[in-house]
């Protein structure tokens, strides 16, 4: 099959020597691989240490998701245990569009209870599965590119181990895969999608040629259906998963041996399955019940900072911001992309390297999305960074294995490549160890102190609502169990949301914004009661807690039309009659 082609075929004048390469010291390379994998295992286990600690302070990454996203995107699971339902009508309910992650958390919380540590442990487990699947994907590629070398089990590819080493020791991936956000499950499903597409294409080719055809056709159909489920899972994990579709479909095309009829049959089965599952979800759940929440997630993100006037500036910023992955990984990745493109373009038969082209499409399409969206948060580079590291490992493996049978002049190139990767892993490992050795717990401690203030007020005045209004409210709910609503996003306007749910507390970062005060002032006296230092960002490093004391006759100004909404039963209360924390917990 043409999918077994390789990057790169360095010499044009000695193709016959590829057939039977002399493999250098297979047992020695195997020991090297085991050492690398042992280091990977150690650094992966370090991801489980201090799981409740802050996202690293004084790091290169200014990431606002550490205040909000862990709670926002797990809110459905959190609220299921607090309120008996997954949503709070009118508030921010992203699970309508991205339900996969909260469903995973829901299953976990049935065992552990609602817990920040449990949620983060889950995402670390998914990162571990990503490492395993990445290793399998590259190992399969390395073996397919030169079956003769692996026939006697003499050759040992170091590229797969190098890939997972770079990922496990990277301080960037250490910081972001320990946040319970959507990027880590998206990465896992992206790699799984490539593996499933490869199996689906191979099964389609086998079904065409092998006997008995009935069994092989059913097997091919099953793999294609699984691919369809994976595509749906990508979109329902994070809507930007659609930008990974070209990479996965190219892998299917390559695995079908570039036969149009086979690709069309397998693709039709996959797309048909995806359409049925996604269509059923939309028609049976979203459209009749949660369409407003579904649309709102897209409306809240429906913007782009790129115009004809700003095009090149945005492209430049998108490119430069990729250094957040780590300068060494970024620039080695740029060189690897250039090398892959050059060799794929120069060698006609190498255009059949399905994995190489798929990873190039992955990096290219996701980077194009980043430029279009022009919201260059570091976490958005996590998904693209995975494909970049895998591409680096592929080019390294091709260069390294070429020294086994090519002229000695290429050994210097391979030694340089190996040194560069080892130094990158070593410096990354040192930085990661620094984060492990110096954990900080400012946000968790702030949340605990905030909870203590609320509970003391509950003992003094049981009628005062424990509900917290805050942009970080969902994170506070995850850490403390206090009910919350968001002060920024929601399908209802903030004044209507405040009037409907009557929160008793307001938590703001550093200062109260004008629109928040305008929504609260007609109904409450906003009394500052405590402040808690947290994190290191200059714009958000002080969490301030305000008690909301109801005014005797809250005024709403001029009457205006507003949408009537049905609040959850356990939150359907009048002023001063909200349930206590103990009641909500039981």
């Amino acid at each position: 099959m043409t999918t077994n082609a390789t990057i790169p075929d360095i010499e044009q004048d000695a193709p016959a020597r590829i057939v039977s390469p002399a493999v250098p010291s297979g047992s020695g390379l195997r020991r090297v691989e085991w050492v690398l994998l042992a280091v990977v295992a150690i650094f992966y286990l370090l991801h489980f240490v201090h799981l409740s600690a802050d996202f690293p302070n004084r790091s290169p990454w200014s990431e606002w998701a550490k205040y909000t996203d862990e709670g926002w995107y797990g809110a459905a699971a959190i609220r299921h245990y607090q309120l008996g339902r997954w949503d709070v009508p009118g508030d921010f309910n992203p699970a309508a569009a991205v339900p996969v992650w909260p469903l995973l958390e829901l299953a976990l919380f049935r065992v552990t209870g609602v817990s920040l540590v449990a949620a983060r442990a889950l995402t670390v487990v998914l990162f571990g599965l990503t490492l395993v699947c990445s290793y399998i994907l590259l190992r399969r590629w390395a073996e397919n590119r030169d079956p003769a070398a692996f026939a006697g089990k003499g050759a040992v590819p170091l590229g797969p181990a190098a890939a997972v080493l770079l990922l496990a020791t990277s301080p960037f991936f250490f910081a972001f895969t320990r946040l319970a956000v959507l990027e880590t499950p998206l990465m896992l499903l992206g790699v799984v999608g490539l593996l499933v597409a490869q199996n689906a294409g191979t099964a389609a080719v086998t079904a065409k040629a092998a006997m008995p055809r009935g069994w092989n056709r059913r097997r091919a159909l099953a793999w294609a259906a699984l691919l369809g489920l994976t595509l749906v899972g990508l979109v329902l994990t994070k809507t930007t998963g659609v930008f990974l579709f070209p990479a996965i479909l190219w892998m299917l095309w390559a695995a079908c041996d570039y036969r149009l009829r086979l690709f069309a049959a397998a693709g039709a089965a996959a797309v048909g399955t995806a359409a049925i599952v996604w269509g059923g979800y939309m028609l049976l759940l979203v459209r009749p019940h949660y369409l407003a929440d579904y649309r709102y997630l897209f409306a809240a993100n429906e913007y782009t900072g790129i115009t004809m006037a700003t095009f090149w500036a945005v492209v430049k910023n998108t490119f430069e911001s990729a250094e957040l992955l780590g300068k060494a990984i970024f620039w080695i990745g740029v060189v690897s992309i250039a090398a892959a493109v050059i060799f794929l373009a120069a060698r006609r038969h190498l255009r059949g390297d399905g994995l190489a082209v798929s990873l190039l499409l992955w990096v290219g399409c996701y980077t194009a999305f980043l430029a279009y969206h022009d919201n260059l948060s570091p976490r958005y580079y996590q998904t693209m960074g995975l494909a970049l590291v895998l591409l680096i490992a592929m080019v390294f493996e091709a260069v390294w294995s070429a020294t086994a049978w090519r002229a000695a002049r290429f050994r210097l190139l391979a030694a340089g490549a190996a040194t560069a990767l080892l130094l990158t892993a070593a410096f990354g490992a040192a930085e990661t160890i620094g984060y492990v050795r110096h954990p900080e717990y400012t946000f968790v401690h702030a949340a605990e102190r905030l909870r203590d203030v609320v509970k003391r007020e509950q003992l003094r005045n049981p009628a005062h609502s424990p509900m917290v209004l805050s942009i970080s409210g969902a994170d506070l709910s995850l850490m403390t169990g206090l009910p919350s609503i968001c002060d920024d996003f929601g399908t209802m306007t903030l004044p209507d949301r405040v009037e409907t749910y009557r929160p008793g507390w307001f938590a703001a970062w550093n200062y109260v914004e004008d629109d928040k005060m305008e929504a609260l002032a007609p109904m409450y006296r906003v009394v500052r009661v405590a402040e808690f230092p947290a994190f290191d960002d200059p714009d958000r490093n002080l969490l301030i807690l305000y008690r909301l004391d109801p005014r005797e006759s809250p005024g709403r100004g001029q009457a205006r039309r507003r949408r009537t909404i049905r609040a959850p039963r356990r939150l359907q209360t009048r002023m001063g009659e909200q349930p206590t924390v103990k009641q909500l917990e039981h």
Side-chain angles (χ1 to χ4, degrees), residues 422-447:
L422 288 175
L423 287 176
T424 299
F427 284 114
E431 190 173 347
T432 298
I433 290 174
Y435 292 144
V436 174
R437 291 182 59 196
H438 304 98
E440 296 179 77
Y441 297 87
T442 62
F443 193 27
V444 169
H445 289 165

Side-chain angles (χ1 to χ4, degrees), residues 289-472:
H289 303 293
Y290 311 117
L291 188 58
D293 292 309
Y294 183 88
R295 288 175 172 172
Y296 181 77
L297 182 66
F298 294 92
N301 292 280
E302 190 178 4
Y303 66 91
T304 174
I306 191 168
T307 64
M308 293 299 296
T310 63
F311 179 84
W312 290 113
V314 170
V315 170
K316 179 176 178 291
N317 290 338
T318 303
F319 180 81
E320 291 177 346
S321 295
E323 287 190 352
L324 294 168
L325 293 166
K327 289 187 177 181
I329 286 181
F330 170 69
W331 287 109
I332 293 173
V334 169
V335 172
S336 298
I337 290 174
V341 170
I342 289 171
F343 283 110
L344 287 171
R347 305 298 245 178
R348 186 175 182 83
H349 67 279
L350 287 179
R351 292 173 187 164
D353 194 320
L355 182 57
V357 177
S358 289
L359 292 178
L360 288 172
L361 286 171
W362 182 325
V363 172
C365 291
Y366 215 83
T367 303
F369 157 73
L370 293 176
Y372 169 78
H373 197 48
D374 193 25
N375 182 8
L376 304 178
S377 295
R379 72 184 184 281
Y380 291 149
Y381 284 91
Q382 185 178 336
T383 304
M384 184 272 283
L386 171 65
L388 190 65
V389 169
L390 297 185
L391 196 59
I392 290 172
M394 287 182 66
V395 173
F396 166 73
E397 172 60 29
V399 172
W400 177 264
S401 61
T403 64
W405 48 274
R406 301 230 184 244
R409 63 183 179 273
F410 291 107
R411 294 174 187 169
L412 182 61
L413 177 62
T419 301
L421 293 190
L422 288 175
L423 287 176
T424 299
F427 284 114
E431 190 173 347
T432 298
I433 290 174
Y435 292 144
V436 174
R437 291 182 59 196
H438 304 98
E440 296 179 77
Y441 297 87
T442 62
F443 193 27
V444 169
H445 289 165
E448 291 172 346
R449 292 173 62 192
L450 182 150
R451 178 198 58 202
D452 293 341
V453 171
V454 173
K455 287 191 172 183
R456 283 197 300 269
E457 179 65 22
Q458 286 297 113
L459 293 175
R460 189 183 69 84
N461 181 13
H464 195 85
S465 170
M467 177 176 288
V468 180
L469 173 71
S470 177
I471 192 170
S472 299

Side-chain angles (χ1 to χ4, degrees), residues 100 104 126 130 133 182-196 227 229-238 244 248 362 386:
V100 170
L104 292 175
L126 297 187
T130 303
C133 291
L182 303 181
E183 274 67 27
T184 301
L186 182 67
M187 288 195 311
L188 173 60
L189 282 176
V191 179
V192 169
L194 293 178
L195 287 170
V196 173
L227 178 59
L229 292 176
T230 305
L231 295 178
V232 174
L234 278 167
V235 175
L236 295 184
T237 296
K238 188 175 174 66
L244 304 186
I248 294 172
W362 182 325
L386 171 65

Side-chain angles (χ1 to χ4, degrees), residues 1 6 25 67 139 162 179 216 233 294 321 347 376 420 467 477 479 509 536 544 581:
M1 291 175 56
T6 179
S25 181
Y67 304 95
R139 180 79 184 215
L179 285 180
N216 286 300
Y294 183 88
S321 295
R347 305 298 245 178
L376 304 178
M467 177 176 288
S477 294
M479 290 185 281
W509 289 98
D536 62 341
I544 306 173
V581 174

Side-chain angles (χ1 to χ4, degrees), residues 73-257:
Y73 293 103
I78 299 167
R79 286 167 172 168
H80 173 77
Y81 290 99
Q82 288 184 344
L83 306 176
R85 56 182 293 165
W86 72 269
D87 67 330
V88 171
D91 199 46
F92 186 40
N93 299 302
V98 285
V100 170
W101 177 245
L103 284 174
L104 292 175
E105 285 193 328
L106 185 66
L108 175 67
F109 291 162
R110 286 186 177 276
V111 178
T112 65
V114 177
S115 165
L116 175 65
V117 171
R120 289 181 174 177
L122 176 59
T123 195
V124 173
V125 168
L126 297 187
F127 178 60
L129 294 176
T130 303
L131 295 178
V132 172
C133 291
S134 298
Y135 179 87
I136 293 172
L137 184 68
L138 291 182
R139 180 79 184 215
R140 182 184 293 179
W141 169 81
E143 293 178 355
N144 285 343
R145 66 188 287 270
D146 197 355
F150 287 90
K153 298 184 179 181
V156 177
L158 294 182
V164 293
L165 178 68
L166 289 177
L167 292 170
T169 58
S170 164
F172 176 88
F173 283 98
F174 173 83
F176 284 93
T177 58
R178 284 160 50 90
L179 285 180
V181 295
L182 303 181
E183 274 67 27
T184 301
L186 182 67
M187 288 195 311
L188 173 60
L189 282 176
V191 179
V192 169
L194 293 178
L195 287 170
V196 173
Q198 192 175 61
N199 289 343
T202 303
V205 173
T206 302
K208 182 69 175 177
M211 300 294 289
R213 290 189 177 180
W215 160 250
N216 286 300
R217 285 177 178 172
R218 289 192 294 272
R219 183 171 177 270
L221 183 62
W223 277 112
L226 182 59
L227 178 59
L229 292 176
T230 305
L231 295 178
V232 174
L234 278 167
V235 175
L236 295 184
T237 296
K238 188 175 174 66
T239 54
T240 57
V242 70
F243 292 93
L244 304 186
F245 281 15
I248 294 172
L249 293 178
W250 181 274
M251 178 62 82
L252 179 63
W253 166 246
C256 287
D257 208 13

